Amino acid sequence: MSQLQQEIDGILAREIPVVDPYEPKDPAGLLRMVFLMPFGHAYSLMCNGPMSLRDLINRSADVPAVAERAIQYECLIRDGNQLTTPNGVPYRSIESPLPVNQADVIGISVVNSGDLHSVLRLLDLAGIPRRTADRVPGVHPLVVGGNSGLADPEPLADYLDAVALGEAEQSLPELLRIVHAHRTDLGATPLHELIARLPGLYVPSMYECDFLPGGGVSAIRPARLTVPDRVDAQYLTVDDLHSAHFCYPVTDGTAAGLHPVLGCLHSCGFCNLGVPAFRQAPLDMLTDYVDRLEAHKVRKIIISAPTFTQYKNRRELLEHIRAYAERAAAEGEKVTTIIGSIRADEISADYLEAVTELGDFGHLFTELNLGKARGIITIAPEWAAPDLVALYGKTQKRERVDKAIDLCRESEHVNTVMLYFIVGAPGERPADRYAIADYAHDVRQRLGHPDGTVIVKLHQFMPKPGTLSQRLRMADPDLAQEYGDQIAARLRELVGDEEYKQHYRVEQFGASRMHLEVVCSRGDRRMGHVLEDLYDAGTDLSAITKDQLGAALEKRGLDYDRHLRHMDEPVLPWHTVNHVNPAAEREFAAALAEREARA
């Protein structure tokens, strides 16, 4: 038995379906779709986009396909940027011994734009030609991408046959129906053109670009009259989404999670959480799911929602989890509840009481391995300067954060506060960055616990396609790293070396990842060729420098610094999927520039 087969057998032995059972389909005559995930088994179960779509396809009798998963197995061998299977056995899915490259459709979810190169690795691992132009319909799988890492889909335009925008519960089944029908009735219309007519699906090969020197486009237009000028993301009602969209459909017996809310009630200028309509899962769906976790003795529950405090039934849900925790404790077992970041302006005494009554609770990123932490609350002020907070549309004013910290002090159950801040944003001044250190110091003083800890998590400002900030300039990531060092030095100076070491941490993402995000989050379709060049050259993309990236860009006629600038041209690379109001963008940029000028 191969190593790969042994690992898959172990995976299947420990997996537990949590959602309602369904009758397995007879795969004869149906399409085979495989979701490729660049993660190990435990984390792949938390990828609820592909996991819920897999569940939907397999339980829907009217969708002519079966769906499988292929993950980054532990036994895979890394050689530079590439992954291979041990002893050259075919890369296969968890559910089928057939090679992945024999699938009809491949699904790839990209969470972060700085990780677009993982698509090349997965396609190579599966033995599938990377570029759309090199794949033969009916011989090679159709490759479909999705998720927030493709907010600007253009860098992978030559590699993905289609990109699902928004929620794919309707667009993906329709795509599968068209592909299935096209297998037996080729007709006069090419497959890609048929798919491009479906709402919510962007088919890059059906659009032509006029490129600008150094980066960007002067025009992008449909290649056929039947192809739409623009593609809208699909966001569905709660009734249109099945339960696996809100609750992890499979667990490995150790952890499982749920999504009580989708979207956000607020619309901040730098964030895309507020783009879809805000929706809430039915309480009985979530409490029934918790009951199923209890029946399977799953002791870790992840509430994966950055806006959980907006859930109208949060108290009832937390009480239901607490009752489970109490029953488990009576049996000598501990239930841990992990909650995503929350808004300081939505923290109440009632919420903290409900959370702390859970017993063992913490923040989603508990891999921080904090010693002696009773509980972790994460708050995202984003900026220390009040007027900068207001300009970017945040509602978390300082007095609201102070009130939240006062509640944490009174609860006596929270001794660690993680603060998220953004650095390098337009409108920001040096004094604003130093104020972050003062802010962190004030929070610990207000928290009042002798063993209190404050973690400052710094994020470089990255304009996100689809938001008011999408055209704004950004700082060079190497400079943003210096900003982080300055903030840490200022905080150490404020509190002294010993107190800093015991009670504070300043963390930020590495510059290499940020350099890739700079060019991948707003690049045109030439950017994918740059990634392919670097990938083939064996460049370590987790440690790439600006000089390495700049040299690779130059070979393709692109300029790194051009991607940092304010993008004031009328047509953006992601023009086909862009629906942001240009007048609102100009007004937003002008207000930030005016503030910055008042130095």
Side-chain angles (χ1 to χ4, degrees), residues 242-261:
H242 70 308
S243 61
H245 192 93
F246 299 97
C247 305
Y248 296 6
V250 178
T251 176
D252 63 358
T254 65
L258 41 88
H259 300 264
V261 297

Side-chain angles (χ1 to χ4, degrees), residues 258-507:
L258 41 88
H259 300 264
V261 297
L262 305 173
C264 180
L265 290 170
H266 305 275
S267 295
C268 302
F270 60 93
C271 180
N272 51 17
L273 272 179
V275 174
F278 178 74
R279 290 149 296 165
Q280 307 188 60
L283 176 62
D284 57 352
M285 175 194 294
L286 303 183
T287 54
D288 174 68
Y289 184 74
V290 172
D291 291 343
R292 297 180 187 213
L293 297 184
E294 180 174 5
H296 292 299
K297 299 186 183 301
V298 177
R299 304 306 195 195
K300 182 178 289 186
I301 300 174
I302 301 167
I303 299 178
S304 184
T307 55
F308 176 55
T309 42
Q310 295 174 6
Y311 185 51
K312 65 180 179 181
N313 297 313
R314 60 184 180 272
R315 177 83 197 201
E316 292 87 343
L317 176 59
L318 293 175
E319 287 177 348
H320 200 82
I321 296 173
R322 181 184 55 131
Y324 166 32
E326 289 176 347
R327 288 190 292 271
E331 299 175 4
E333 298 280 341
K334 182 172 70 173
V335 172
T336 301
T337 305
I338 308 299
I339 302 173
S341 60
I342 54 180
R343 296 180 60 94
D345 50 348
E346 294 168 352
I347 294 177
S348 64
D350 180 69
Y351 171 79
L352 279 179
E353 180 185 358
V355 169
T356 54
E357 285 177 352
L358 292 173
D360 199 41
F361 73 98
H363 179 257
L364 188 59
F365 299 102
T366 46
E367 67 266 24
L368 292 169
N369 296 321
L370 298 173
K372 302 179 181 177
R374 291 193 303 275
I376 308 170
I377 290 290
T378 296
I379 298 173
E382 310 298 6
W383 289 275
D387 61 332
L388 206 52
V389 170
L391 278 172
Y392 277 92
K394 287 290 289 187
T395 60
Q396 297 200 61
K397 298 179 180 179
R398 182 60 182 269
E399 54 266 30
R400 292 177 175 175
V401 175
D402 287 347
K403 180 181 177 181
I405 300 301
D406 289 343
L407 290 171
C408 291
R409 181 184 66 241
E410 292 168 8
S411 79
E412 297 184 356
H413 289 279
V414 178
N415 80 329
T416 300
V417 177
M418 181 183 288
L419 299 172
Y420 279 80
F421 287 98
I422 293 173
V423 296
E428 175 186 285
R429 301 190 291 249
D432 303 324
R433 293 190 289 274
Y434 288 117
I436 292 173
D438 298 278
Y439 199 119
H441 178 243
D442 291 346
V443 164
R444 183 170 182 273
Q445 295 295 108
R446 184 174 285 273
L447 186 61
H449 301 316
D451 61 344
T453 297
V454 173
I455 304 168
V456 177
K457 191 81 172 177
L458 299 176
H459 291 260
Q460 179 179 346
F461 175 72
M462 282 284 169
K464 293 182 176 66
T467 68
L468 273 182
S469 65
Q470 64 180 354
R471 294 178 178 270
L472 299 181
R473 63 173 174 79
M474 51 182 141
D476 186 306
D478 292 334
L479 181 60
Q481 291 288 305
E482 293 180 18
Y483 291 161
D485 293 340
Q486 292 166 6
I487 292 166
R490 165 67 177 165
L491 183 54
R492 187 183 291 271
E493 180 184 316
L494 274 175
V495 303
D497 288 345
E498 192 60 32
E499 184 175 337
Y500 180 88
K501 187 183 302 183
Q502 290 185 15
H503 300 289
Y504 295 93
R505 282 167 49 187
V506 177
E507 299 183 346

Side-chain angles (χ1 to χ4, degrees), residues 522-594:
R522 50 178 25 182
D524 59 54
R525 55 184 66 185
R526 290 171 288 183
M527 189 59 223
H529 298 210
V530 174
L531 293 176
E532 191 173 21
D533 291 343
L534 290 164
Y535 175 86
D536 285 339
T539 305
D540 184 354
L541 292 165
S542 67
I544 194 168
T545 65
K546 179 183 177 181
D547 288 342
Q548 288 175 307
L549 185 53
L553 287 160
E554 189 175 356
K555 289 179 180 178
R556 293 284 180 174
L558 300 172
D559 176 19
Y560 177 89
D561 289 337
R562 184 172 169 81
H563 295 79
L564 292 170
R565 79 197 192 291
H566 181 94
M567 302 180 75
D568 55 3
E569 60 267 31
V571 181
L572 296 171
W574 54 95
H575 171 78
T576 306
V577 301
N578 179 33
H579 295 274
V580 181
N581 186 313
E585 289 177 313
R586 289 191 292 271
E587 183 180 349
F588 185 44
L592 293 171
E594 180 183 350

